[in-house]
Amino acid sequence: LTVKDTVKVGEFAEAEKIRLRARCEVERALSPHKGGKRESVWILPACGVTAFPHDPERGPIQVDGEDIAYWKVLGAYAFQASTAGCPIVTLPIGLADDGMPVGVQVVGRAWCDEELLEVCSLLEAVATRSVPKPPHHAYSLPHDK
């Protein structure tokens, strides 16, 4: 393990305040509303684009004709909920017009993993009935020996 930078205690404390604020916002959004009804999960895009060929260099990705940093495209939708400590499950949910897989991420309340997995199980059952695995699925790719 190599540490590249140091973080001062004050900077860490400020980052922790921001993380806790994010957690409170997500929890408030997923908590019971008046009348006892609540959203148990959020269903969000897994990524800012459909699947694309693997790039081991993790170079920029074209989004609407503009080069966007790899990590921004892949992590933009997961950032707040994962920073807040909420459980997230990513599922394939369909295929785009070009045949590449499209996924969703399902975000649950902190410490409610079982509830999240129940919802994901239902979504997966529906998705697998109507969406075939693409021909370039990981199990169909050649493996190094």
PDB file of all heavy atoms in Angstrom, residues 102-142:
ATOM      1  N   VAL A 102     -27.710  -2.673 -20.622  1.00  0.00           N
ATOM      2  CA  VAL A 102     -28.055  -1.474 -19.861  1.00  0.00           C
ATOM      3  C   VAL A 102     -28.330  -1.937 -18.436  1.00  0.00           C
ATOM      4  O   VAL A 102     -28.976  -2.963 -18.229  1.00  0.00           O
ATOM      5  CB  VAL A 102     -29.310  -0.789 -20.443  1.00  0.00           C
ATOM      6  CG1 VAL A 102     -29.741   0.385 -19.588  1.00  0.00           C
ATOM      7  CG2 VAL A 102     -29.068  -0.367 -21.875  1.00  0.00           C
ATOM      8  N   GLY A 103     -27.829  -1.186 -17.474  1.00  0.00           N
ATOM      9  CA  GLY A 103     -28.032  -1.576 -16.090  1.00  0.00           C
ATOM     10  C   GLY A 103     -28.708  -0.496 -15.278  1.00  0.00           C
ATOM     11  O   GLY A 103     -28.772   0.665 -15.682  1.00  0.00           O
ATOM     12  N   VAL A 104     -29.231  -0.895 -14.143  1.00  0.00           N
ATOM     13  CA  VAL A 104     -29.766   0.042 -13.162  1.00  0.00           C
ATOM     14  C   VAL A 104     -29.052  -0.236 -11.850  1.00  0.00           C
ATOM     15  O   VAL A 104     -28.544  -1.328 -11.615  1.00  0.00           O
ATOM     16  CB  VAL A 104     -31.289  -0.095 -12.956  1.00  0.00           C
ATOM     17  CG1 VAL A 104     -32.053   0.283 -14.201  1.00  0.00           C
ATOM     18  CG2 VAL A 104     -31.670  -1.479 -12.477  1.00  0.00           C
ATOM     19  N   GLN A 105     -28.989   0.780 -11.023  1.00  0.00           N
ATOM     20  CA  GLN A 105     -28.529   0.557  -9.662  1.00  0.00           C
ATOM     21  C   GLN A 105     -29.723   0.799  -8.750  1.00  0.00           C
ATOM     22  O   GLN A 105     -30.515   1.712  -8.966  1.00  0.00           O
ATOM     23  CB  GLN A 105     -27.347   1.432  -9.311  1.00  0.00           C
ATOM     24  CG  GLN A 105     -27.624   2.895  -9.270  1.00  0.00           C
ATOM     25  CD  GLN A 105     -26.431   3.676  -8.777  1.00  0.00           C
ATOM     26  OE1 GLN A 105     -25.543   3.142  -8.141  1.00  0.00           O
ATOM     27  NE2 GLN A 105     -26.404   4.943  -9.084  1.00  0.00           N
ATOM     28  N   VAL A 106     -29.841  -0.057  -7.783  1.00  0.00           N
ATOM     29  CA  VAL A 106     -30.944   0.019  -6.840  1.00  0.00           C
ATOM     30  C   VAL A 106     -30.325   0.401  -5.493  1.00  0.00           C
ATOM     31  O   VAL A 106     -29.449  -0.291  -4.994  1.00  0.00           O
ATOM     32  CB  VAL A 106     -31.696  -1.323  -6.761  1.00  0.00           C
ATOM     33  CG1 VAL A 106     -32.957  -1.180  -5.918  1.00  0.00           C
ATOM     34  CG2 VAL A 106     -32.046  -1.822  -8.166  1.00  0.00           C
ATOM     35  N   VAL A 107     -30.777   1.525  -4.959  1.00  0.00           N
ATOM     36  CA  VAL A 107     -30.222   2.074  -3.723  1.00  0.00           C
ATOM     37  C   VAL A 107     -31.224   1.860  -2.603  1.00  0.00           C
ATOM     38  O   VAL A 107     -32.402   2.197  -2.744  1.00  0.00           O
ATOM     39  CB  VAL A 107     -29.945   3.593  -3.875  1.00  0.00           C
ATOM     40  CG1 VAL A 107     -29.368   4.169  -2.592  1.00  0.00           C
ATOM     41  CG2 VAL A 107     -29.044   3.876  -5.071  1.00  0.00           C
ATOM     42  N   GLY A 108     -30.742   1.305  -1.508  1.00  0.00           N
ATOM     43  CA  GLY A 108     -31.601   1.076  -0.351  1.00  0.00           C
ATOM     44  C   GLY A 108     -31.198   1.934   0.828  1.00  0.00           C
ATOM     45  O   GLY A 108     -30.191   2.642   0.792  1.00  0.00           O
ATOM     46  N   ARG A 109     -31.993   1.843   1.886  1.00  0.00           N
ATOM     47  CA  ARG A 109     -31.685   2.578   3.110  1.00  0.00           C
ATOM     48  C   ARG A 109     -30.552   1.871   3.847  1.00  0.00           C
ATOM     49  O   ARG A 109     -30.418   0.652   3.778  1.00  0.00           O
ATOM     50  CB  ARG A 109     -32.914   2.650   4.007  1.00  0.00           C
ATOM     51  CG  ARG A 109     -34.040   3.465   3.383  1.00  0.00           C
ATOM     52  CD  ARG A 109     -35.260   3.555   4.268  1.00  0.00           C
ATOM     53  NE  ARG A 109     -35.816   2.231   4.522  1.00  0.00           N
ATOM     54  CZ  ARG A 109     -36.322   1.849   5.686  1.00  0.00           C
ATOM     55  NH1 ARG A 109     -36.352   2.667   6.710  1.00  0.00           N
ATOM     56  NH2 ARG A 109     -36.812   0.640   5.843  1.00  0.00           N
ATOM     57  N   ALA A 110     -29.750   2.655   4.551  1.00  0.00           N
ATOM     58  CA  ALA A 110     -28.676   2.075   5.349  1.00  0.00           C
ATOM     59  C   ALA A 110     -29.247   1.038   6.314  1.00  0.00           C
ATOM     60  O   ALA A 110     -30.301   1.257   6.909  1.00  0.00           O
ATOM     61  CB  ALA A 110     -27.934   3.170   6.105  1.00  0.00           C
ATOM     62  N   TRP A 111     -28.576  -0.069   6.431  1.00  0.00           N
ATOM     63  CA  TRP A 111     -28.928  -1.177   7.317  1.00  0.00           C
ATOM     64  C   TRP A 111     -30.209  -1.896   6.912  1.00  0.00           C
ATOM     65  O   TRP A 111     -30.778  -2.640   7.698  1.00  0.00           O
ATOM     66  CB  TRP A 111     -28.998  -0.726   8.784  1.00  0.00           C
ATOM     67  CG  TRP A 111     -27.792   0.041   9.188  1.00  0.00           C
ATOM     68  CD1 TRP A 111     -27.727   1.370   9.479  1.00  0.00           C
ATOM     69  CD2 TRP A 111     -26.456  -0.448   9.288  1.00  0.00           C
ATOM     70  NE1 TRP A 111     -26.432   1.744   9.759  1.00  0.00           N
ATOM     71  CE2 TRP A 111     -25.629   0.635   9.647  1.00  0.00           C
ATOM     72  CE3 TRP A 111     -25.858  -1.689   9.101  1.00  0.00           C
ATOM     73  CZ2 TRP A 111     -24.266   0.509   9.824  1.00  0.00           C
ATOM     74  CZ3 TRP A 111     -24.499  -1.816   9.285  1.00  0.00           C
ATOM     75  CH2 TRP A 111     -23.721  -0.724   9.650  1.00  0.00           C
ATOM     76  N   CYS A 112     -30.683  -1.677   5.686  1.00  0.00           N
ATOM     77  CA  CYS A 112     -31.883  -2.362   5.195  1.00  0.00           C
ATOM     78  C   CYS A 112     -31.529  -3.209   3.971  1.00  0.00           C
ATOM     79  O   CYS A 112     -32.263  -3.243   2.981  1.00  0.00           O
ATOM     80  CB  CYS A 112     -32.978  -1.358   4.858  1.00  0.00           C
ATOM     81  SG  CYS A 112     -33.598  -0.477   6.303  1.00  0.00           S
ATOM     82  N   ASP A 113     -30.420  -3.907   4.063  1.00  0.00           N
ATOM     83  CA  ASP A 113     -29.918  -4.696   2.942  1.00  0.00           C
ATOM     84  C   ASP A 113     -30.908  -5.776   2.499  1.00  0.00           C
ATOM     85  O   ASP A 113     -31.088  -6.015   1.303  1.00  0.00           O
ATOM     86  CB  ASP A 113     -28.584  -5.351   3.302  1.00  0.00           C
ATOM     87  CG  ASP A 113     -27.513  -4.339   3.654  1.00  0.00           C
ATOM     88  OD1 ASP A 113     -27.813  -3.378   4.385  1.00  0.00           O
ATOM     89  OD2 ASP A 113     -26.376  -4.509   3.206  1.00  0.00           O
ATOM     90  N   GLU A 114     -31.559  -6.429   3.458  1.00  0.00           N
ATOM     91  CA  GLU A 114     -32.489  -7.501   3.115  1.00  0.00           C
ATOM     92  C   GLU A 114     -33.652  -6.975   2.275  1.00  0.00           C
ATOM     93  O   GLU A 114     -34.050  -7.591   1.283  1.00  0.00           O
ATOM     94  CB  GLU A 114     -33.010  -8.167   4.386  1.00  0.00           C
ATOM     95  CG  GLU A 114     -33.833  -9.407   4.104  1.00  0.00           C
ATOM     96  CD  GLU A 114     -34.202 -10.145   5.377  1.00  0.00           C
ATOM     97  OE1 GLU A 114     -33.353 -10.262   6.277  1.00  0.00           O
ATOM     98  OE2 GLU A 114     -35.356 -10.602   5.457  1.00  0.00           O
ATOM     99  N   GLU A 115     -34.183  -5.830   2.646  1.00  0.00           N
ATOM    100  CA  GLU A 115     -35.259  -5.197   1.884  1.00  0.00           C
ATOM    101  C   GLU A 115     -34.780  -4.880   0.460  1.00  0.00           C
ATOM    102  O   GLU A 115     -35.479  -5.131  -0.515  1.00  0.00           O
ATOM    103  CB  GLU A 115     -35.687  -3.917   2.597  1.00  0.00           C
ATOM    104  CG  GLU A 115     -36.768  -3.136   1.898  1.00  0.00           C
ATOM    105  CD  GLU A 115     -37.104  -1.868   2.662  1.00  0.00           C
ATOM    106  OE1 GLU A 115     -36.260  -0.950   2.680  1.00  0.00           O
ATOM    107  OE2 GLU A 115     -38.202  -1.814   3.226  1.00  0.00           O
ATOM    108  N   LEU A 116     -33.571  -4.342   0.343  1.00  0.00           N
ATOM    109  CA  LEU A 116     -32.989  -4.031  -0.962  1.00  0.00           C
ATOM    110  C   LEU A 116     -32.856  -5.293  -1.809  1.00  0.00           C
ATOM    111  O   LEU A 116     -33.224  -5.302  -2.987  1.00  0.00           O
ATOM    112  CB  LEU A 116     -31.629  -3.356  -0.784  1.00  0.00           C
ATOM    113  CG  LEU A 116     -30.833  -3.105  -2.060  1.00  0.00           C
ATOM    114  CD1 LEU A 116     -31.543  -2.100  -2.954  1.00  0.00           C
ATOM    115  CD2 LEU A 116     -29.433  -2.622  -1.714  1.00  0.00           C
ATOM    116  N   LEU A 117     -32.357  -6.361  -1.226  1.00  0.00           N
ATOM    117  CA  LEU A 117     -32.165  -7.604  -1.982  1.00  0.00           C
ATOM    118  C   LEU A 117     -33.497  -8.209  -2.424  1.00  0.00           C
ATOM    119  O   LEU A 117     -33.579  -8.800  -3.505  1.00  0.00           O
ATOM    120  CB  LEU A 117     -31.353  -8.598  -1.163  1.00  0.00           C
ATOM    121  CG  LEU A 117     -29.897  -8.185  -0.936  1.00  0.00           C
ATOM    122  CD1 LEU A 117     -29.211  -9.150   0.018  1.00  0.00           C
ATOM    123  CD2 LEU A 117     -29.137  -8.058  -2.246  1.00  0.00           C
ATOM    124  N   GLU A 118     -34.554  -8.042  -1.632  1.00  0.00           N
ATOM    125  CA  GLU A 118     -35.878  -8.524  -2.037  1.00  0.00           C
ATOM    126  C   GLU A 118     -36.362  -7.795  -3.290  1.00  0.00           C
ATOM    127  O   GLU A 118     -36.866  -8.414  -4.223  1.00  0.00           O
ATOM    128  CB  GLU A 118     -36.887  -8.338  -0.906  1.00  0.00           C
ATOM    129  CG  GLU A 118     -36.718  -9.303   0.243  1.00  0.00           C
ATOM    130  CD  GLU A 118     -37.679  -9.016   1.396  1.00  0.00           C
ATOM    131  OE1 GLU A 118     -38.697  -8.316   1.179  1.00  0.00           O
ATOM    132  OE2 GLU A 118     -37.400  -9.490   2.507  1.00  0.00           O
ATOM    133  N   VAL A 119     -36.202  -6.475  -3.300  1.00  0.00           N
ATOM    134  CA  VAL A 119     -36.608  -5.684  -4.464  1.00  0.00           C
ATOM    135  C   VAL A 119     -35.767  -6.087  -5.679  1.00  0.00           C
ATOM    136  O   VAL A 119     -36.297  -6.275  -6.780  1.00  0.00           O
ATOM    137  CB  VAL A 119     -36.479  -4.172  -4.182  1.00  0.00           C
ATOM    138  CG1 VAL A 119     -36.693  -3.356  -5.442  1.00  0.00           C
ATOM    139  CG2 VAL A 119     -37.457  -3.751  -3.096  1.00  0.00           C
ATOM    140  N   CYS A 120     -34.472  -6.255  -5.476  1.00  0.00           N
ATOM    141  CA  CYS A 120     -33.582  -6.628  -6.580  1.00  0.00           C
ATOM    142  C   CYS A 120     -33.939  -8.002  -7.137  1.00  0.00           C
ATOM    143  O   CYS A 120     -33.869  -8.225  -8.350  1.00  0.00           O
ATOM    144  CB  CYS A 120     -32.127  -6.599  -6.128  1.00  0.00           C
ATOM    145  SG  CYS A 120     -31.535  -4.935  -5.833  1.00  0.00           S
ATOM    146  N   SER A 121     -34.338  -8.907  -6.275  1.00  0.00           N
ATOM    147  CA  SER A 121     -34.737 -10.236  -6.721  1.00  0.00           C
ATOM    148  C   SER A 121     -35.949 -10.154  -7.651  1.00  0.00           C
ATOM    149  O   SER A 121     -36.006 -10.832  -8.679  1.00  0.00           O
ATOM    150  CB  SER A 121     -35.051 -11.115  -5.510  1.00  0.00           C
ATOM    151  OG  SER A 121     -35.440 -12.391  -5.918  1.00  0.00           O
ATOM    152  N   LEU A 122     -36.903  -9.301  -7.299  1.00  0.00           N
ATOM    153  CA  LEU A 122     -38.083  -9.113  -8.155  1.00  0.00           C
ATOM    154  C   LEU A 122     -37.697  -8.488  -9.498  1.00  0.00           C
ATOM    155  O   LEU A 122     -38.159  -8.935 -10.549  1.00  0.00           O
ATOM    156  CB  LEU A 122     -39.116  -8.236  -7.450  1.00  0.00           C
ATOM    157  CG  LEU A 122     -39.772  -8.831  -6.213  1.00  0.00           C
ATOM    158  CD1 LEU A 122     -40.588  -7.771  -5.482  1.00  0.00           C
ATOM    159  CD2 LEU A 122     -40.641 -10.014  -6.589  1.00  0.00           C
ATOM    160  N   LEU A 123     -36.867  -7.462  -9.451  1.00  0.00           N
ATOM    161  CA  LEU A 123     -36.425  -6.816 -10.699  1.00  0.00           C
ATOM    162  C   LEU A 123     -35.668  -7.793 -11.591  1.00  0.00           C
ATOM    163  O   LEU A 123     -35.871  -7.835 -12.798  1.00  0.00           O
ATOM    164  CB  LEU A 123     -35.530  -5.613 -10.393  1.00  0.00           C
ATOM    165  CG  LEU A 123     -36.211  -4.378  -9.863  1.00  0.00           C
ATOM    166  CD1 LEU A 123     -35.174  -3.356  -9.408  1.00  0.00           C
ATOM    167  CD2 LEU A 123     -37.111  -3.770 -10.927  1.00  0.00           C
ATOM    168  N   GLU A 124     -34.799  -8.575 -10.988  1.00  0.00           N
ATOM    169  CA  GLU A 124     -34.016  -9.530 -11.752  1.00  0.00           C
ATOM    170  C   GLU A 124     -34.906 -10.587 -12.405  1.00  0.00           C
ATOM    171  O   GLU A 124     -34.710 -10.964 -13.553  1.00  0.00           O
ATOM    172  CB  GLU A 124     -32.975 -10.189 -10.856  1.00  0.00           C
ATOM    173  CG  GLU A 124     -32.028 -11.094 -11.603  1.00  0.00           C
ATOM    174  CD  GLU A 124     -30.977 -11.685 -10.697  1.00  0.00           C
ATOM    175  OE1 GLU A 124     -31.301 -12.069  -9.554  1.00  0.00           O
ATOM    176  OE2 GLU A 124     -29.820 -11.763 -11.142  1.00  0.00           O
ATOM    177  N   ALA A 125     -35.921 -11.042 -11.674  1.00  0.00           N
ATOM    178  CA  ALA A 125     -36.839 -12.038 -12.223  1.00  0.00           C
ATOM    179  C   ALA A 125     -37.559 -11.497 -13.445  1.00  0.00           C
ATOM    180  O   ALA A 125     -37.720 -12.196 -14.445  1.00  0.00           O
ATOM    181  CB  ALA A 125     -37.840 -12.477 -11.152  1.00  0.00           C
ATOM    182  N   VAL A 126     -37.988 -10.251 -13.388  1.00  0.00           N
ATOM    183  CA  VAL A 126     -38.675  -9.634 -14.531  1.00  0.00           C
ATOM    184  C   VAL A 126     -37.702  -9.439 -15.690  1.00  0.00           C
ATOM    185  O   VAL A 126     -38.006  -9.761 -16.835  1.00  0.00           O
ATOM    186  CB  VAL A 126     -39.308  -8.282 -14.119  1.00  0.00           C
ATOM    187  CG1 VAL A 126     -39.794  -7.526 -15.327  1.00  0.00           C
ATOM    188  CG2 VAL A 126     -40.435  -8.516 -13.129  1.00  0.00           C
ATOM    189  N   ALA A 127     -36.521  -8.928 -15.402  1.00  0.00           N
ATOM    190  CA  ALA A 127     -35.536  -8.637 -16.455  1.00  0.00           C
ATOM    191  C   ALA A 127     -35.057  -9.899 -17.151  1.00  0.00           C
ATOM    192  O   ALA A 127     -34.929  -9.924 -18.377  1.00  0.00           O
ATOM    193  CB  ALA A 127     -34.348  -7.870 -15.881  1.00  0.00           C
ATOM    194  N   THR A 128     -34.814 -10.968 -16.416  1.00  0.00           N
ATOM    195  CA  THR A 128     -34.279 -12.181 -17.046  1.00  0.00           C
ATOM    196  C   THR A 128     -35.322 -12.908 -17.876  1.00  0.00           C
ATOM    197  O   THR A 128     -34.968 -13.680 -18.754  1.00  0.00           O
ATOM    198  CB  THR A 128     -33.671 -13.144 -16.001  1.00  0.00           C
ATOM    199  OG1 THR A 128     -34.652 -13.450 -15.013  1.00  0.00           O
ATOM    200  CG2 THR A 128     -32.446 -12.540 -15.349  1.00  0.00           C
ATOM    201  N   ARG A 129     -36.598 -12.651 -17.632  1.00  0.00           N
ATOM    202  CA  ARG A 129     -37.642 -13.254 -18.456  1.00  0.00           C
ATOM    203  C   ARG A 129     -37.685 -12.636 -19.844  1.00  0.00           C
ATOM    204  O   ARG A 129     -38.016 -13.302 -20.810  1.00  0.00           O
ATOM    205  CB  ARG A 129     -39.012 -13.078 -17.803  1.00  0.00           C
ATOM    206  CG  ARG A 129     -39.386 -14.222 -16.890  1.00  0.00           C
ATOM    207  CD  ARG A 129     -40.817 -14.101 -16.436  1.00  0.00           C
ATOM    208  NE  ARG A 129     -40.775 -13.446 -15.133  1.00  0.00           N
ATOM    209  CZ  ARG A 129     -41.666 -12.591 -14.698  1.00  0.00           C
ATOM    210  NH1 ARG A 129     -42.697 -12.269 -15.426  1.00  0.00           N
ATOM    211  NH2 ARG A 129     -41.541 -12.051 -13.517  1.00  0.00           N
ATOM    212  N   SER A 130     -37.368 -11.345 -19.921  1.00  0.00           N
ATOM    213  CA  SER A 130     -37.550 -10.652 -21.190  1.00  0.00           C
ATOM    214  C   SER A 130     -36.261 -10.238 -21.886  1.00  0.00           C
ATOM    215  O   SER A 130     -36.307  -9.779 -23.010  1.00  0.00           O
ATOM    216  CB  SER A 130     -38.420  -9.404 -20.961  1.00  0.00           C
ATOM    217  OG  SER A 130     -37.792  -8.564 -20.015  1.00  0.00           O
ATOM    218  N   VAL A 131     -35.124 -10.409 -21.240  1.00  0.00           N
ATOM    219  CA  VAL A 131     -33.870  -9.943 -21.829  1.00  0.00           C
ATOM    220  C   VAL A 131     -32.870 -11.090 -21.923  1.00  0.00           C
ATOM    221  O   VAL A 131     -32.424 -11.614 -20.907  1.00  0.00           O
ATOM    222  CB  VAL A 131     -33.246  -8.801 -20.981  1.00  0.00           C
ATOM    223  CG1 VAL A 131     -31.949  -8.334 -21.587  1.00  0.00           C
ATOM    224  CG2 VAL A 131     -34.231  -7.661 -20.857  1.00  0.00           C
ATOM    225  N   PRO A 132     -32.511 -11.495 -23.153  1.00  0.00           N
ATOM    226  CA  PRO A 132     -31.513 -12.555 -23.289  1.00  0.00           C
ATOM    227  C   PRO A 132     -30.117 -12.024 -22.969  1.00  0.00           C
ATOM    228  O   PRO A 132     -29.867 -10.828 -23.054  1.00  0.00           O
ATOM    229  CB  PRO A 132     -31.611 -12.937 -24.768  1.00  0.00           C
ATOM    230  CG  PRO A 132     -32.070 -11.676 -25.429  1.00  0.00           C
ATOM    231  CD  PRO A 132     -32.973 -10.993 -24.433  1.00  0.00           C
ATOM    232  N   LYS A 133     -29.214 -12.922 -22.578  1.00  0.00           N
ATOM    233  CA  LYS A 133     -27.834 -12.508 -22.382  1.00  0.00           C
ATOM    234  C   LYS A 133     -27.258 -12.141 -23.740  1.00  0.00           C
ATOM    235  O   LYS A 133     -27.506 -12.816 -24.739  1.00  0.00           O
ATOM    236  CB  LYS A 133     -27.020 -13.640 -21.768  1.00  0.00           C
ATOM    237  CG  LYS A 133     -27.352 -13.888 -20.327  1.00  0.00           C
ATOM    238  CD  LYS A 133     -26.484 -14.987 -19.749  1.00  0.00           C
ATOM    239  CE  LYS A 133     -26.893 -15.220 -18.313  1.00  0.00           C
ATOM    240  NZ  LYS A 133     -26.334 -16.449 -17.785  1.00  0.00           N
ATOM    241  N   PRO A 134     -26.486 -11.051 -23.806  1.00  0.00           N
ATOM    242  CA  PRO A 134     -25.899 -10.667 -25.092  1.00  0.00           C
ATOM    243  C   PRO A 134     -24.870 -11.706 -25.538  1.00  0.00           C
ATOM    244  O   PRO A 134     -24.304 -12.417 -24.697  1.00  0.00           O
ATOM    245  CB  PRO A 134     -25.235  -9.316 -24.798  1.00  0.00           C
ATOM    246  CG  PRO A 134     -25.055  -9.282 -23.325  1.00  0.00           C
ATOM    247  CD  PRO A 134     -26.134 -10.138 -22.732  1.00  0.00           C
ATOM    248  N   PRO A 135     -24.612 -11.803 -26.843  1.00  0.00           N
ATOM    249  CA  PRO A 135     -23.652 -12.797 -27.334  1.00  0.00           C
ATOM    250  C   PRO A 135     -22.239 -12.563 -26.803  1.00  0.00           C
ATOM    251  O   PRO A 135     -21.440 -13.473 -26.779  1.00  0.00           O
ATOM    252  CB  PRO A 135     -23.709 -12.638 -28.852  1.00  0.00           C
ATOM    253  CG  PRO A 135     -24.300 -11.302 -29.082  1.00  0.00           C
ATOM    254  CD  PRO A 135     -25.174 -11.004 -27.892  1.00  0.00           C
ATOM    255  N   HIS A 136     -21.927 -11.361 -26.369  1.00  0.00           N
ATOM    256  CA  HIS A 136     -20.596 -11.059 -25.854  1.00  0.00           C
ATOM    257  C   HIS A 136     -20.592 -11.068 -24.325  1.00  0.00           C
ATOM    258  O   HIS A 136     -19.795 -10.407 -23.698  1.00  0.00           O
ATOM    259  CB  HIS A 136     -20.103  -9.715 -26.397  1.00  0.00           C
ATOM    260  CG  HIS A 136     -21.131  -8.642 -26.308  1.00  0.00           C
ATOM    261  ND1 HIS A 136     -22.095  -8.477 -27.278  1.00  0.00           N
ATOM    262  CD2 HIS A 136     -21.395  -7.718 -25.368  1.00  0.00           C
ATOM    263  CE1 HIS A 136     -22.881  -7.481 -26.937  1.00  0.00           C
ATOM    264  NE2 HIS A 136     -22.485  -7.005 -25.787  1.00  0.00           N
ATOM    265  N   HIS A 137     -21.502 -11.832 -23.726  1.00  0.00           N
ATOM    266  CA  HIS A 137     -21.558 -11.979 -22.270  1.00  0.00           C
ATOM    267  C   HIS A 137     -20.230 -12.526 -21.773  1.00  0.00           C
ATOM    268  O   HIS A 137     -19.553 -13.285 -22.470  1.00  0.00           O
ATOM    269  CB  HIS A 137     -22.712 -12.923 -21.913  1.00  0.00           C
ATOM    270  CG  HIS A 137     -22.984 -13.016 -20.453  1.00  0.00           C
ATOM    271  ND1 HIS A 137     -22.388 -13.944 -19.659  1.00  0.00           N
ATOM    272  CD2 HIS A 137     -23.773 -12.261 -19.651  1.00  0.00           C
ATOM    273  CE1 HIS A 137     -22.812 -13.788 -18.419  1.00  0.00           C
ATOM    274  NE2 HIS A 137     -23.656 -12.783 -18.386  1.00  0.00           N
ATOM    275  N   ALA A 138     -19.836 -12.167 -20.562  1.00  0.00           N
ATOM    276  CA  ALA A 138     -18.527 -12.542 -20.012  1.00  0.00           C
ATOM    277  C   ALA A 138     -18.259 -14.040 -20.107  1.00  0.00           C
ATOM    278  O   ALA A 138     -17.140 -14.456 -20.348  1.00  0.00           O
ATOM    279  CB  ALA A 138     -18.414 -12.073 -18.561  1.00  0.00           C
ATOM    280  N   TYR A 139     -19.286 -14.863 -19.936  1.00  0.00           N
ATOM    281  CA  TYR A 139     -19.072 -16.304 -19.981  1.00  0.00           C
ATOM    282  C   TYR A 139     -18.821 -16.807 -21.404  1.00  0.00           C
ATOM    283  O   TYR A 139     -18.361 -17.909 -21.588  1.00  0.00           O
ATOM    284  CB  TYR A 139     -20.245 -17.047 -19.352  1.00  0.00           C
ATOM    285  CG  TYR A 139     -20.340 -16.795 -17.873  1.00  0.00           C
ATOM    286  CD1 TYR A 139     -21.387 -16.068 -17.340  1.00  0.00           C
ATOM    287  CD2 TYR A 139     -19.344 -17.258 -17.016  1.00  0.00           C
ATOM    288  CE1 TYR A 139     -21.457 -15.827 -15.979  1.00  0.00           C
ATOM    289  CE2 TYR A 139     -19.407 -17.008 -15.654  1.00  0.00           C
ATOM    290  CZ  TYR A 139     -20.466 -16.300 -15.141  1.00  0.00           C
ATOM    291  OH  TYR A 139     -20.530 -16.045 -13.798  1.00  0.00           O
ATOM    292  N   SER A 140     -19.124 -15.995 -22.406  1.00  0.00           N
ATOM    293  CA  SER A 140     -18.900 -16.416 -23.778  1.00  0.00           C
ATOM    294  C   SER A 140     -17.565 -15.918 -24.334  1.00  0.00           C
ATOM    295  O   SER A 140     -17.188 -16.280 -25.443  1.00  0.00           O
ATOM    296  CB  SER A 140     -20.057 -15.959 -24.676  1.00  0.00           C
ATOM    297  OG  SER A 140     -20.055 -14.536 -24.746  1.00  0.00           O
ATOM    298  N   LEU A 141     -16.865 -15.086 -23.559  1.00  0.00           N
ATOM    299  CA  LEU A 141     -15.587 -14.574 -24.010  1.00  0.00           C
ATOM    300  C   LEU A 141     -14.474 -15.579 -23.741  1.00  0.00           C
ATOM    301  O   LEU A 141     -14.543 -16.349 -22.790  1.00  0.00           O
ATOM    302  CB  LEU A 141     -15.241 -13.251 -23.282  1.00  0.00           C
ATOM    303  CG  LEU A 141     -16.186 -12.090 -23.549  1.00  0.00           C
ATOM    304  CD1 LEU A 141     -15.808 -10.910 -22.663  1.00  0.00           C
ATOM    305  CD2 LEU A 141     -16.151 -11.694 -25.000  1.00  0.00           C
ATOM    306  N   PRO A 142     -13.430 -15.605 -24.604  1.00  0.00           N
ATOM    307  CA  PRO A 142     -12.317 -16.522 -24.339  1.00  0.00           C
ATOM    308  C   PRO A 142     -11.606 -16.120 -23.047  1.00  0.00           C
ATOM    309  O   PRO A 142     -11.503 -14.948 -22.720  1.00  0.00           O
ATOM    310  CB  PRO A 142     -11.392 -16.333 -25.550  1.00  0.00           C
ATOM    311  CG  PRO A 142     -11.858 -15.116 -26.244  1.00  0.00           C
ATOM    312  CD  PRO A 142     -13.240 -14.794 -25.786  1.00  0.00           C
TER     313      PRO A 142
END
